[in-house]
Amino acid sequence: MPSDSESCRDERLFRKGPVAIVGAAALYPRACGLDQYWELLNQECPVDSIESRTLDDLEIDLAQFGIPPAQAGAMARMQLLMLDAARQCLSDAGHPRRALPADRTDVITGTCFGLDRQHANALRIEGSRYAREVELAAVAEGVDQAVAQAAAQELRSLVARHTGASPHDRVGEMASTIPARIAAAFTFHGRTLAVESADATSFVAIDHAVHNLRRKVSDAVLVVAGQRWESPFVARALRAKGLLGPMNSGTAGPESDRVGEGVGALLLKRLSSAVQDGDRIYAVILDSSVSHDSRPGAFRYSRSAELRSTVALASLRSAGASAESVTYVECVGSEVKGEAEAELKSLAGVHGGAAPASVLVGSVRDRLGNTFANAGVAAVTKVALALHHQRIPPQRGLGGAAESDFLGTPLRLPTRSEEWRANDDITPRRAVVHGASLTGTVCHLVIQEHGGFGAEVDEPNGPRDRRTSSAPDRVGKAVGRTAAEPVSVPRPEPIAVVGLAGRFAGAPDAESFWQVVISGETRIGPVPESVLDRDLHYAPGAVSLTHSYTDQGGHVPAPEEPPGDACITPLRHAAMDDVQRLALAVGAELFRGRVAHEGGEPGARGVAGRLAGRGLVAIGTNLGLTRERQSTAQLSLRSWDEAVGRLTALDGLSPLQKKALMVSVREGKSGALNDAMSPVLLDGCLASGAAALLAHEYRLDAVPLGVEAACASSLAALDICVGALRQGTADFAVTGGVELACNTRDMVLCSALGLLSHGKNAPFDQAADGFSPGNGCGLFLLKRYSDARRDGDEIIGLIRGIGASNDAKSLIAPDVEGQLLAMQRAFTEVDFGPSAVDYLEAHGTGTKVGDRVEIAAAARMYGGERRARPLEIGSAKSFFGHTFAAAGSAGLLRTLLAMRAGTLPPNANLRTLNPALGLDAIPAVVSTEPSPWSRQPGQPRRAAVSSFGTGGINYHVLVEEHLDGAR
């Protein structure tokens, strides 16, 4: 363990090495492949057609990815597109001939808004309710009961055929299944996760990839980002937000009227590795920076030119580059008037020292439209290709600005394709990419050519330009260059947990959570009728595609009112998704006692006095929110009204009777959407909205993002935050997870796979037969250990190590070797062995196979050394159910509270321990009563927390008690 904070600061300075782009892919409606993409970018007068901006017609051969036919029909279309983009990118980089380090290759994907399979599954559920409304309306109009029932069943069958149904729908609809499927197809075993940060999504994904490479927790990262506009509700919400023009206006609107679809991919490696491996290098990323403009109220783009300038100049300093050395700027702004003006003002100021008309400015939006989650990857790919070809594509205006608007400034629009001339001072050709999101994030990348220029790596100080002789595309040892890997990284600094909060079944806050745990009594029980309509969707004992065979769960109601310290209108709170409301309520608990009044807008509150510097808010969540799914389904059902009139069961009705029936259905349709859409509705569709709410309402200078890694989402979010703190790109972080798994859709879909318990969650019990769904949210406030001690914070516990892996074998079945790999990686970050760990907070789902595999992996890791006492094993799911994306936060919360109390926590619902688990071989015990957690001589209490997600995603965290005195 580090003896002082100085070595930790040295560790953060150590990580500034450049990152090489060694592969790319482009799938756009008019450009399927890099060659076509480059051709499209260079067309002087590209054909423009809004109707052509779709990826529906692209055919993809599933057989090449080894996907079982039983799973193919349940896959989201985006999953197929991203698989093909990954294949294209890897092939472009020479894979598999040029093999990647499989165990240390990460896959990060980025999407925004719901996927088609999510919408279909929601429509199937809402369709059953709609059919019942038709039945009731028919009876009210005098139709015979039997005829009305037959009509309802016919309508359900029509909806089922339209949407399709498969036992694998729950897996196929998940955003995190996409990176997991890619990892499985190409046998990668590194970190696997999906992220969302509105239209900064792909910037955040690239930023995280760069940090993982610099920290040397990964050797290669495949970033895939895509956008499809699959929901008519989202399109309407975009218009209400002012990001799209009115429908059917008959006029060509501004650039902000245009949306586009696309999927792109980048393969990144450390430059030193790429040179040593002889990779072709398109371009080199010198710096990636993100910052945030926090403002209470509805989400909107930052209009601060000052913030943009500050971020850009800091990014250039970090890259060791001057603004005068930049000769091209790629803009990825919204082109909304105020935001576009701030962007151009910032550019003119940052590059004001350059000669007039010497800095060319462009945006790929003039060819693709707004590809939202994909926009950053599309822009970086454009710049990388331009550097590679040494040509700058033409531009047709920018943000409503014409060529004449740049007169007298250092900026110029390239109206024709032109050569990217070498710099007179023999420095490399260099570009920057600007981006922004509607949640207030500002992004900046510094990118330069490789080619005939090398970048020596001065390992505390970063890259240093030097001129070399001309070289071919593929460079390596054959041209006399060798690049030694940097020296090994010092053991990483511990991360202090300085705040925690949570809300789970029967536990409205962290204190009551602990009281539930030590009571030993489960809070799983029958869910309310408002959650599961038993007449429509409950069929005990039967596995089906339309019903849940259980009505048990750990229910938590969504807050009806915003917390008292939040400046949120009732209209805006009503428009939020339930997970956003729950996260906001738990956030209020997290910051209670830290919140201080700030000047500015009335009601604005902040924690700036206690949380200085830059931050990160990363929250594990499902990337397809219920609010959007249900709204999309309800909007889609409007088109089914005509189908009701054509039902054969209603053939006996006269046209007048059918008309009266349809009027009755429309008037009584539950959850009908108003034609007048509110500007705040879009905010409730963003999975990153939970994180953005916390950043804005508490005035945190912190970039918000949503993270999905299936049931390991919370620990994946924790991993991102720990990495940012250790890298020095964040000074504090808020992390955790939130999900409301007690809902009809998830209960039906999980029942179809036989995953749910017929009774109650009973991990490690002989009678365990599955899990019970649960709602919940757990949040944590993190700082570097040295900073927490400096600030005098209460340190609840220390995050010492995190390990992650992907099984790369099955999307459903757990794997011993994959889980073991995550555990082993966690221990490489600490100075103690498995025998020093007293307690294991297991994933503990309560499925027979899952429990057996998890204990087998734990036995391999924790049973190899002589132990002073048996390893205690437990699972929070026995009390609160399986909270999916929030599961890891429940486990970490339970572990930290147990550590603080000095009490080993008990388990609920355990009657007969499953003898097949072989706990004696570790040795380990699963207790049903709380017991004192005594310290082993000379060392603090230590614990481990596991989360394993669908798709073979594995995380293992090592936690240590904080004792007085420097560590």
Side-chain angles (χ1 to χ4, degrees):
M1 198 167 185
S3 58
D4 54 49
S5 60
E6 191 63 36
S7 65
C8 300
R9 286 194 293 271
D10 289 343
E11 175 197 344
R12 296 196 291 275
L13 289 172
F14 172 87
R15 297 171 178 142
K16 287 190 176 182
V19 170
I21 301 173
V22 299
L27 288 177
Y28 298 95
R30 289 178 280 140
C32 293
L34 282 183
D35 290 342
Q36 290 185 21
Y37 187 52
W38 181 241
E39 181 181 346
L40 174 65
L41 292 173
N42 282 279
Q43 289 177 7
E44 299 289 346
C45 298
V47 176
D48 188 86
S49 171
I50 297 296
E51 289 73 24
S52 70
R53 298 176 188 277
T54 174
L55 292 171
D56 288 341
D57 299 330
L58 187 64
E59 294 185 6
I60 298 171
D61 179 16
L62 282 177
Q64 63 186 317
F65 302 114
I67 297 171
Q71 297 180 15
M75 294 171 60
R77 173 71 173 169
M78 182 62 79
Q79 191 174 145
L80 303 181
L81 294 168
M82 286 192 161
L83 271 169
D84 204 54
R87 175 200 59 77
Q88 184 188 123
C89 182
L90 293 168
S91 176
D92 182 60
H95 184 81
R97 180 175 57 83
R98 304 179 66 80
L100 293 170
D103 282 356
R104 292 176 57 81
T105 296
D106 297 348
V107 182
I108 304 174
T109 62
T111 62
C112 194
F113 305 118
L115 305 176
D116 55 359
R117 191 66 249 166
Q118 295 173 346
H119 295 146
N121 293 337
L123 179 58
R124 203 163 77 238
I125 300 299
E126 294 297 317
S128 291
R129 187 174 291 109
Y130 176 57
R132 183 173 63 182
E133 291 170 355
V134 170
E135 178 183 346
L136 295 174
V139 172
E141 291 297 321
V143 177
D144 181 77
Q145 180 74 52
V147 172
Q149 289 178 346
Q153 186 54 45
E154 184 180 350
L155 184 57
R156 288 190 186 95
S157 298
L158 284 173
V159 174
R161 286 197 297 271
H162 174 75
T163 60
S166 162
H168 297 278
D169 282 343
R170 182 63 178 95
V171 177
E173 74 165 19
M174 295 166 62
S176 58
T177 297
I178 300 174
R181 180 79 73 180
I182 292 171
F186 300 101
T187 62
F188 297 144
H189 300 277
R191 284 167 166 80
T192 303
L193 67 154
V195 299
E196 187 260 275
S197 190
D199 33 348
T201 294
S202 52
F203 284 102
V204 169
I206 292 170
D207 189 65
H208 182 50
V210 168
H211 295 162
N212 278 0
L213 290 167
R214 286 177 167 173
R215 292 197 305 126
K216 299 187 73 175
V217 297
S218 311
D219 290 334
V221 184
L222 178 62
V223 176
V224 190
Q227 185 69 56
R228 294 188 74 215
W229 300 102
E230 303 180 281
S231 166
F233 175 76
V234 169
R236 294 182 60 177
L238 281 165
R239 287 189 177 89
K241 193 79 167 173
L243 303 181
L244 284 179
M247 296 179 63
N248 304 318
S249 63
T251 61
E255 288 295 309
S256 57
D257 287 358
R258 302 165 57 204
V259 294
E261 295 189 347
V263 178
L266 297 168
L267 182 61
L268 308 179
K269 296 172 73 174
R270 286 184 294 278
L271 178 60
S272 55
S273 300
V275 171
Q276 189 171 47
D277 295 342
D279 292 316
R280 175 198 52 213
I281 299 172
Y282 283 112
V284 176
I285 299 174
L286 299 182
D287 182 73
S288 173
S289 296
V290 289
S291 190
H292 194 68
D293 186 3
S294 295
R295 294 183 179 183
F299 299 156
R300 57 195 183 276
Y301 293 95
S302 171
R303 298 188 175 186
S304 171
E306 181 182 3
L307 174 64
R308 294 164 189 273
S309 299
T310 299
V311 172
L313 292 171
S315 178
L316 287 163
R317 283 196 302 271
S318 180
S322 66
E324 289 75 19
S325 70
V326 174
T327 51
Y328 179 72
V329 177
E330 176 73 11
C331 297
V332 197
S334 69
E335 302 196 351
V336 172
K337 182 175 174 57
E339 195 256 344
E341 290 173 350
E343 183 175 47
L344 292 176
K345 181 179 178 182
S346 169
L347 288 177
V350 169
H351 301 282
S358 64
V359 181
L360 281 75
V361 183
S363 174
V364 73
R365 287 177 64 122
D366 74 331
R367 311 299 157 121
L368 302 179
N370 182 3
T371 59
F372 217 73
N374 163 264
V377 162
V380 171
T381 304
K382 173 187 173 181
V383 171
L385 290 175
L387 286 166
H388 179 68
H389 291 285
Q390 298 181 1
R391 293 202 69 81
I392 295 177
Q395 187 67 35
R396 299 181 303 156
L398 185 76
E403 185 179 7
S404 58
D405 295 327
F406 294 95
L407 294 176
T409 76
L411 310 177
R412 173 170 67 89
L413 290 180
T415 56
R416 296 179 179 274
S417 175
E418 58 185 84
E419 178 188 359
W420 195 336
R421 292 176 296 185
N423 296 329
D424 294 336
D425 60 358
I426 72 169
T427 57
R429 296 171 178 87
R430 188 169 289 153
V432 296
V433 181
H434 287 261
S437 83
L438 68 86
T439 52
T441 297
V442 175
C443 318
H444 191 271
L445 290 120
V446 182
I447 304 175
Q448 76 177 26
E449 68 177 321
H450 185 63
F453 295 86
E456 289 185 343
V457 181
D458 184 352
E459 287 298 345
N461 299 317
R464 183 174 68 246
D465 292 334
R466 80 176 168 90
R467 184 70 183 261
T468 67
S469 59
S470 181
D473 283 345
R474 291 194 179 275
V475 295
K477 295 180 181 178
V479 293
R481 293 187 62 192
T482 60
E485 284 292 307
V487 295
S488 61
V489 180
R491 181 164 285 117
E493 179 176 9
I495 299 302
V497 180
V498 298
L500 53 74
R503 184 175 295 190
F504 294 84
D509 53 33
E511 180 58 35
S512 55
F513 178 96
W514 179 242
Q515 293 304 315
V516 169
V517 168
I518 60 174
S519 76
E521 297 180 3
T522 185
R523 293 304 187 265
I524 298 170
V527 300
E529 191 71 20
S530 59
V531 171
L532 180 66
D533 188 322
R534 287 164 173 78
D535 289 339
L536 279 180
H537 297 294
Y538 178 47
V543 176
S544 77
L545 298 176
T546 56
H547 292 73
S548 171
Y549 53 73
T550 182
D551 66 350
Q552 300 289 304
H555 175 65
V556 175
E560 295 183 1
E561 302 285 341
D565 61 353
C567 183
I568 294 177
T569 64
L571 175 65
R572 184 163 175 246
H573 193 258
M576 292 179 187
D577 188 89
D578 284 349
V579 299
Q580 296 174 342
R581 298 180 196 173
L582 182 57
L584 187 62
V586 176
E589 179 193 355
L590 181 70
F591 292 121
R592 192 174 297 137
R594 291 180 175 270
V595 177
H597 283 287
E598 287 188 340
E601 300 177 37
R605 299 166 75 83
V607 293
R610 297 296 300 274
L611 294 178
R614 292 186 300 169
L616 180 64
V617 184
I619 297 181
T621 180
N622 188 306
L623 294 193
L625 297 189
T626 295
R627 172 79 181 177
E628 184 207 334
R629 296 190 198 198
Q630 288 185 339
S631 298
T632 297
Q634 291 165 8
L635 196 60
S636 298
L637 284 171
R638 290 184 173 183
S639 65
W640 285 81
D641 288 352
E642 291 186 8
V644 172
R646 297 193 298 268
L647 294 174
T648 56
L650 300 179
D651 282 348
L653 275 64
S654 69
L656 190 60
Q657 287 176 307
K658 289 183 178 180
K659 182 177 180 180
L661 171 61
M662 292 316 306
V663 170
S664 179
V665 169
R666 292 189 186 106
E667 290 179 348
K669 190 180 296 181
S670 63
L673 297 172
N674 291 326
D675 290 328
M677 299 275 285
S678 165
V680 298
L681 286 181
L682 188 69
D683 299 3
C685 297
L686 290 169
S688 60
L693 276 166
L694 295 177
H696 286 295
E697 294 307 317
Y698 293 98
R699 301 303 295 266
L700 306 177
D701 179 9
V703 175
L705 70 151
V707 181
E708 185 183 311
C711 307
S713 298
S714 291
L715 297 193
L718 176 72
D719 184 45
I720 290 175
C721 290
V722 167
L725 288 165
R726 287 175 169 170
Q727 177 77 6
T729 56
D731 299 304
F732 67 89
V734 176
T735 191
V738 59
E739 187 153 357
L740 301 177
C742 285
N743 64 75
T744 299
R745 182 190 67 251
D746 282 332
M747 293 180 76
V748 169
L749 295 180
C750 290
S751 286
L753 264 180
L755 297 176
L756 300 184
S757 171
H758 291 263
K760 296 180 180 179
N761 235 129
F764 315 120
D765 194 272
Q766 189 171 19
D769 64 345
F771 60 80
S772 303
N775 295 346
C777 175
L779 296 177
F780 308 90
L781 180 59
L782 309 179
K783 288 185 178 181
R784 285 181 290 272
Y785 177 63
S786 56
D787 292 347
R789 285 184 61 81
R790 176 200 66 198
D791 297 339
D793 290 303
E794 176 195 6
I795 299 177
I796 302 168
L798 299 174
I799 307 297
R800 292 294 314 278
I802 299 185
S805 72
N806 187 278
D807 295 342
K809 291 180 181 178
S810 169
L811 292 186
I812 301 174
D815 177 71
V816 171
E817 298 299 328
Q819 294 181 11
L820 180 62
L821 183 58
M823 296 176 184
Q824 291 170 335
R825 287 174 172 167
F827 276 98
T828 64
E829 296 189 343
V830 299
D831 54 358
F832 56 85
S835 63
V837 173
D838 309 312
Y839 174 68
L840 170 61
E841 175 66 27
H843 189 54
T845 58
T847 62
K848 288 188 182 298
V849 174
D851 286 356
R852 188 174 68 248
V853 169
E854 180 169 13
I855 295 302
R860 294 267 298 275
M861 189 75 243
Y862 290 95
E865 300 177 359
R866 182 178 178 84
R867 302 189 61 83
R869 60 190 178 192
L871 176 70
E872 287 275 350
I873 298 179
S875 172
K877 294 178 182 63
S878 63
F879 290 92
F880 308 105
H882 191 345
T883 53
F884 293 8
S889 70
L892 181 59
L893 181 62
R894 181 169 125 119
T895 301
L896 289 167
L897 291 173
M899 195 171 277
R900 183 165 69 177
T903 301
L904 289 164
N907 293 272
N909 300 330
L910 183 63
R911 290 171 174 78
T912 305
L913 189 66
N914 187 352
L917 297 177
L919 293 174
D920 291 343
I922 297 178
V925 295
V926 181
S927 300
T928 56
E929 297 290 338
S931 61
W933 187 347
S934 59
R935 296 188 184 95
Q936 297 189 38
Q939 69 180 43
R941 298 178 178 99
R942 292 181 174 126
V945 182
S946 288
S947 275
F948 308 127
T950 304
I953 301 172
N954 308 302
Y955 280 85
H956 194 68
V957 178
L958 297 174
V959 185
E960 183 176 276
E961 176 187 26
H962 174 250
L963 300 177
D964 289 337
R967 309 303 296 165

